[in-house]
Amino acid sequence: MSTREMYKAGTPIDWWMMEDLARPELLQYKAIYFHNATILEGNQRTALESLKKDGRTMIFTGYPGLINGRKLDAAAASSLTGIKLRLVTGSRSPARFQVTDYDLPCTREAISQIVFGSGVVVSPRLVIDDPDAQVIARWADGQPAAAMKIHDGWTSYYFPVPPNNAAMFRAIFRNAGCHIYTHNTCHDIVYANKSLLAIHSNTYGQPVKLPGLAKVTDLFTGRVVVEKGNTINLGVSWKWITGTRLFRVEYLK
C-alpha cells in the first residue's frame, strides 16, 4: 500500500534490492526511491553515495541510515539524505501530514489538497533542521517533517512516511526528467520497456504520450494503432472498456 500511488504516476517503475546498489544498471535511473534504508552496510553507503550525481533525484523515507552500528545517529541520517535532520525522542506525534507549500516542484501538479500518512503515533522521529531545505509538510507541533533540497548535481527528498500520493510522485518524477506517459488528471498504471508498453486504464479519451516517434501495435488484436507518431489514443480504440492493453512499440530511428 505504501507505494500504490507510485504506480499511478505515469512512469514505469523497477524494483531493486539494497544489495544491488553498486550495480551499474542503477545509473540509468533519473529518480530512485528508497523505501527502507534504515540499516546500511558500509559498502551500501558507499554505493549510495556514488549515485548522488548526474542530476539524479533521491527520495528517502522513514529513518534512512539512522541505525549506525548499535546507536541511533541523526548525523548519519543527515549525511545519507543530504538534509540535516535532528532526532526527537522526548515526544510522540501522529505521522499524518498536510502539505503546506504547493509551489514546490513536487507539489505543483496537485489538483487537490495533499494529505499523506496513516496517523500512527510515532517516537522517536526525525525533524528537518536545515535552513537550506524547502519544507513540504510539518509535524503536529509545527516542526518541519518533510523537505526537499537541491544539491550540486542531485536533488534530495525526505519524508517521515511514504508520500503515497500520485500527483506528488508524478511531479517529482517529471521534475527529475522522467518521461510521463499519461495525463496528469488520470491514474492509469504504466509498465514499459524498450519494446513493450502495458497500460491499465479506466480513464477514457486521455492520450498516452510516447518518448519518441514509433510504430505501435495492439498485441491483443494485432492491429496497428499508430503507424508513425508519439500518441496512443486509448479512448478511441476501446471506449467504455476498463482493462489492460499491451502494445509493441517500435521506436523509429
Side-chain angles (χ1 to χ4, degrees):
M1 291 293 288
S2 62
T3 56
R4 181 190 63 189
E5 297 299 305
M6 188 186 298
Y7 283 95
K8 303 176 183 178
T11 196
I13 298 166
D14 291 333
W15 284 86
W16 295 83
M17 303 294 290
M18 295 301 292
E19 290 79 7
D20 297 320
L21 279 173
R23 295 183 59 150
E25 292 92 335
L26 267 70
L27 294 173
Q28 69 182 296
Y29 297 104
K30 296 178 180 179
I32 302 179
Y33 176 84
F34 293 91
H35 178 63
N36 186 0
T38 305
I39 302 175
L40 294 176
E41 303 295 336
N43 59 339
Q44 292 174 336
R45 284 182 180 265
T46 301
L48 190 151
E49 290 295 325
S50 71
L51 295 170
K52 296 178 178 179
K53 60 183 180 181
D54 301 330
R56 191 166 290 110
T57 292
M58 315 275 272
I59 308 162
F60 301 92
T61 66
Y63 301 97
L66 183 64
I67 297 180
N68 187 13
R70 295 188 175 182
K71 65 178 182 178
L72 302 181
D73 188 347
S78 301
S79 176
L80 190 74
T81 62
I83 298 174
K84 187 177 180 183
L85 301 166
R86 177 166 50 87
L87 186 65
V88 175
T89 59
S91 62
R92 304 165 71 227
S93 182
R96 186 168 178 82
F97 307 95
Q98 179 176 311
V99 168
T100 55
D101 189 342
Y102 287 87
D103 291 318
L104 296 173
C106 64
T107 58
R108 286 175 185 159
E109 298 194 28
I111 58 176
S112 61
Q113 185 181 64
I114 296 177
V115 178
F116 61 96
S118 66
V120 62
V121 177
V122 298
S123 181
R125 55 196 172 103
L126 290 169
V127 302
I128 309 298
D129 190 21
D130 192 328
D132 296 321
Q134 297 175 280
V135 176
I136 300 169
R138 296 179 180 273
W139 290 97
D141 61 5
Q143 297 191 80
M148 66 168 292
K149 186 175 180 178
I150 300 174
H151 295 268
D152 183 16
W154 68 291
T155 298
S156 177
Y157 284 89
Y158 169 72
F159 297 93
V161 295
N164 206 14
N165 181 276
M168 189 146 57
F169 276 129
R170 181 189 298 268
I172 291 173
F173 295 153
R174 193 191 304 277
N175 194 62
C178 301
H179 177 75
I180 306 298
Y181 285 81
T182 57
H183 192 272
N184 62 359
T185 60
C186 77
H187 287 166
D188 294 350
I189 298 172
V190 176
Y191 296 91
N193 60 25
K194 292 181 179 179
S195 59
L196 295 174
L197 171 64
I199 303 285
H200 180 80
S201 176
N202 60 1
T203 307
Y204 311 110
Q206 299 287 4
V208 174
K209 294 291 186 180
L210 301 174
L213 292 177
K215 176 182 178 181
V216 182
T217 305
D218 187 325
L219 291 180
F220 291 163
T221 66
R223 185 168 68 90
V224 175
V225 295
V226 178
E227 191 64 49
K228 182 180 180 180
N230 65 354
T231 303
I232 305 172
N233 192 336
L234 297 180
V236 170
S237 60
W238 47 294
K239 190 174 183 180
W240 310 120
I241 301 175
T242 300
T244 302
R245 288 296 182 270
L246 178 63
F247 302 98
R248 180 172 66 243
V249 182
E250 301 170 87
Y251 286 103
L252 307 176
K253 296 181 181 180

